[in-house]
Amino acid sequence: MTGTTTSSQAGSAAAQNGAQWLLRSAAASGLRVCFANPGTTELPFVAALDAVPEVRPILSVFEGVCSGAADGYFRISGTPAMTLTHLGPGFANAIANLHNARRARSRILNVIGEHMSWHVQADPPLNSDIESLARPVSAGVWRGNSMAGLQDATQASLREVLTPGGGIASLVLPMDMQQGDAPFEPLRVLAEPRDAGYDAAALDTLACAIREGKRVLMFLGASAMTETALTQAARFTTLSNVELIGETFPARSEHGGGLPAIRRFSYLAEQGHPYLLQFDRVALVDALQPVAFFGAEGYPSRLGDPARMIAVSEPNQGGAQALEQLADSLGLAPARLPTPEPVIDANLGESLTAETAAQIIAAHLPEHAIVSVEGGTLGFPFNALASRAARHSTIVMTGGAIGQGLPAAFGASVAAPERKVVALQSDGSALYTAQALWSMAREGSNVVVVIAANRRYQILQNEMKRTGHHLQRSDVQSLLDLSNPAVDWVSLSRSLGVPAAQATTTSELRRLYLAALAQQAPFLIEAVLP
């Protein structure tokens, strides 16, 4: 699907440089935010931002925060953001969270500064093969080495990020093209709407299987876990032979307020594979056949029996419509979403554990909050309670590259400043992108961060046990331990501008959490867990 390109009246073609033209083209096409970590080669672009107030520049002091924030921004707003990074090394710092963004099918426009086009051949110290770095995490990579090339590259990049089903576009922008004269009107790229199709024949096959009493699993991808889609999925909960489950790491999912409880599929092959084999049919709704997160001896990489799987719709296709059509064909009544039994914050005692912390957080979660989850310590017990909490959106680590949680929470808060964002964050992964706290402080983000401080890489310790490895040497054991020295999250957070306090009991966590929810500003709680 291609977009439509027209001229725009947003800005004059006279007396503008290439960077100004690019920004005006982006603004005319609907892009409004640029998460930036510029260097010397991007200074003309920074100066151009001064002349294009339609694009909001937001500084992050690490490129991985820029990319993670752009990902979180898209997942909540559905609108692409821009990132600005410095040459190949700067862009390389952004790659891990661009990997997550690609897996989330987020759309982002990366502007990567480059040396003067005539200077690259001299191989200066910061020179690198930017295209080779960008290609694995981009749907397309373009370079503007001339003004004509800049126009073509900008048009292609904007089409990529604005078209439904598109992806990440990376645009390499030499310094001389940024500051050179650009005597042409800005572009306005409009993506044509895409028909959200589904396989009608697959629905007929599935309907027959359900009528015959066969066990059917509805395996839901992220775009089938919107409020609209889940309202249709709720119609199937009256059927004893139909079960619902969500993909392991959905880019965004809706929970609570009477929506059906959607468990997440286990990422462990030894659990996920036999689970799928319990069903006669597995309907893939806006989802692909599940793949084991890591290979395990004795289990296939692609889990379940392919012969039992029915592809109803591809990711980001017509899942909601397919669910509605299937329910109608079966004569299922419209869903009446029940009032869920609320999560109760009572009789928890004073011992602060991951379970009691999750219960407090879920019990007091504000209506329409956004929950950014990185790590299983708080994530797993919270997910078990999510269907009984207030209606909220959840974003998780889609690609497995840690360091996403804090930047994604920050980006989500930029996308929806009126919604409270609650970041459930493990301490080890938080260290990868703690710089996001600085950006939260600078922008006054409406974010509460709860750090699960258990002073260890718990997931790796669990994996060691699961795979039969028993470490004996203390120096090797220390590779999975964060207690020597323990990070002082309160001091670290305060040094980055975010007020913080420590909770060691349930009453302390409750008091701090409720106080943080009551203010429109960032706050960090270090929850010390056993």
Side-chain angles (χ1 to χ4, degrees):
M1 185 67 66
T2 60
T4 302
T5 306
T6 65
S7 296
S8 169
Q9 301 304 313
S12 169
Q16 69 177 347
N17 61 30
Q20 291 170 337
W21 175 84
L22 191 158
L23 282 165
R24 288 177 176 137
S25 296
S29 302
L31 279 65
R32 291 289 181 264
V33 173
C34 180
F35 296 99
N37 186 279
T40 304
T41 51
E42 294 75 50
L43 292 183
F45 194 95
V46 173
L49 282 162
D50 205 35
V52 186
E54 296 87 355
V55 178
R56 175 186 174 186
I58 298 177
L59 177 64
S60 295
V61 289
F62 177 60
E63 296 89 344
V65 175
C66 296
S67 53
D71 182 16
Y73 180 90
F74 180 83
R75 295 199 210 183
I76 295 302
S77 70
T79 301
M82 304 172 72
T83 69
L84 177 65
T85 53
H86 179 46
L87 297 161
F91 179 79
N93 286 335
I95 287 177
N97 275 328
L98 288 172
H99 165 79
N100 290 326
R102 183 178 68 87
R103 289 289 180 175
R105 298 182 175 85
S106 292
R107 288 180 264 141
I108 299 168
L109 174 55
N110 299 314
V111 176
I112 308 168
E114 172 65 296
H115 290 292
M116 298 283 192
S117 57
W118 49 264
H119 188 52
V120 172
Q121 56 84 29
D123 194 25
L126 273 171
N127 187 45
S128 63
D129 185 349
I130 298 175
E131 280 85 351
S132 291
L133 292 169
R135 198 169 292 115
V137 292
S138 305
V141 182
W142 292 271
R143 176 181 283 263
N145 269 351
S146 65
M147 279 302 168
L150 175 60
Q151 291 181 76
D152 292 341
T154 300
Q155 179 173 296
S157 298
L158 287 172
R159 281 181 174 172
E160 182 64 47
V161 300
L162 291 168
T163 300
I168 297 170
S170 294
L171 172 57
V172 183
L173 185 60
M175 192 174 184
D176 48 335
M177 295 303 108
Q178 295 175 47
Q179 59 192 22
D181 291 337
F184 31 84
E185 291 291 332
L187 298 172
R188 185 181 181 212
V189 177
L190 302 175
E192 297 174 5
R194 183 183 65 174
D195 293 333
Y198 57 84
D199 190 331
L203 283 191
D204 290 340
T205 302
L206 199 56
C208 289
I210 293 173
R211 290 192 189 99
E212 293 169 1
K214 293 182 178 179
R215 292 200 67 195
V216 172
L217 177 66
M218 311 291 282
F219 192 98
L220 307 178
S223 49
M225 285 189 276
T226 65
E227 182 175 338
T228 299
L230 289 176
T231 300
Q232 295 301 325
R235 300 169 68 183
F236 295 92
T237 59
T238 60
L239 301 177
S240 60
N241 62 322
V242 176
E243 193 168 317
L244 303 172
I245 199 165
E247 63 182 348
T248 308
F249 298 113
R252 173 178 172 175
S253 54
E254 302 301 313
H255 303 269
L259 292 174
I262 305 296
R263 291 190 302 112
R264 283 201 251 155
F265 182 72
S266 174
Y267 71 91
L268 301 175
E270 60 268 32
Q271 294 179 4
H273 185 62
Y275 172 76
L276 293 173
L277 295 180
Q278 297 177 58
F279 297 92
D280 301 304
R281 293 287 188 179
V282 176
L284 301 174
V285 185
D286 284 12
L288 303 176
Q289 181 180 353
V291 174
F293 209 70
F294 298 106
E297 292 293 339
Y299 296 93
S301 295
R302 300 185 186 277
L303 303 179
D305 180 1
R308 305 185 202 181
M309 296 191 177
I310 303 176
V312 173
S313 54
E314 296 291 320
N316 295 323
Q317 290 287 329
Q321 298 93 324
L323 291 168
E324 181 179 15
Q325 179 61 38
L326 179 59
D328 287 346
S329 70
L330 293 170
L332 301 180
R336 293 183 177 180
L337 299 181
T339 300
E341 178 186 353
V343 181
I344 302 298
D345 173 14
N347 302 318
L348 298 182
E350 281 297 283
S351 178
L352 186 59
T353 65
E355 290 71 26
T356 57
Q359 193 158 341
I360 291 169
I361 292 164
H364 301 286
L365 191 71
E367 194 76 28
H368 301 301
I370 299 167
V371 181
S372 176
V373 179
E374 181 170 33
T377 303
L378 288 175
F380 290 148
F382 176 83
N383 188 60
L385 300 170
S387 65
R388 294 164 50 203
R391 185 69 58 84
H392 63 280
S393 307
T394 297
I395 54 179
V396 300
M397 186 175 60
T398 49
I402 63 177
Q404 175 197 285
L406 293 177
F410 170 57
S413 73
V414 174
E418 75 285 358
R419 300 175 67 180
K420 178 64 74 174
V421 179
V422 178
L424 304 182
Q425 181 69 52
S426 293
D427 53 355
S429 52
L431 287 170
Y432 282 64
T433 47
Q435 303 95 324
L437 296 171
W438 185 89
S439 293
M440 291 179 192
R442 185 181 180 94
E443 299 298 323
S445 301
N446 192 13
V447 180
V448 180
V449 178
V450 183
I451 297 283
N454 56 14
R455 321 292 200 219
R456 61 184 181 273
Y457 285 123
Q458 182 171 308
I459 189 169
L460 295 183
Q461 291 180 351
N462 293 341
E463 285 294 308
M464 278 288 185
K465 294 175 183 177
R466 187 179 70 84
T467 54
H469 295 92
H470 303 285
L471 302 179
Q472 302 300 318
R473 287 172 43 187
S474 60
D475 57 340
V476 178
Q477 291 172 349
S478 69
L479 291 175
L480 311 181
D481 179 81
L482 298 172
S483 64
N484 184 28
V487 176
D488 183 347
W489 278 101
V490 173
S491 296
L492 177 60
S493 182
R494 288 174 177 172
S495 74
L496 292 169
V498 174
Q502 186 182 86
T504 59
T505 66
T506 57
S507 60
E508 288 176 341
L509 176 61
R510 183 182 300 110
R511 174 178 57 80
L512 292 169
Y513 181 58
L514 290 174
L517 292 178
Q519 59 187 20
Q520 299 284 314
F523 192 85
L524 181 142
I525 303 169
E526 181 184 19
V528 180
L529 303 178

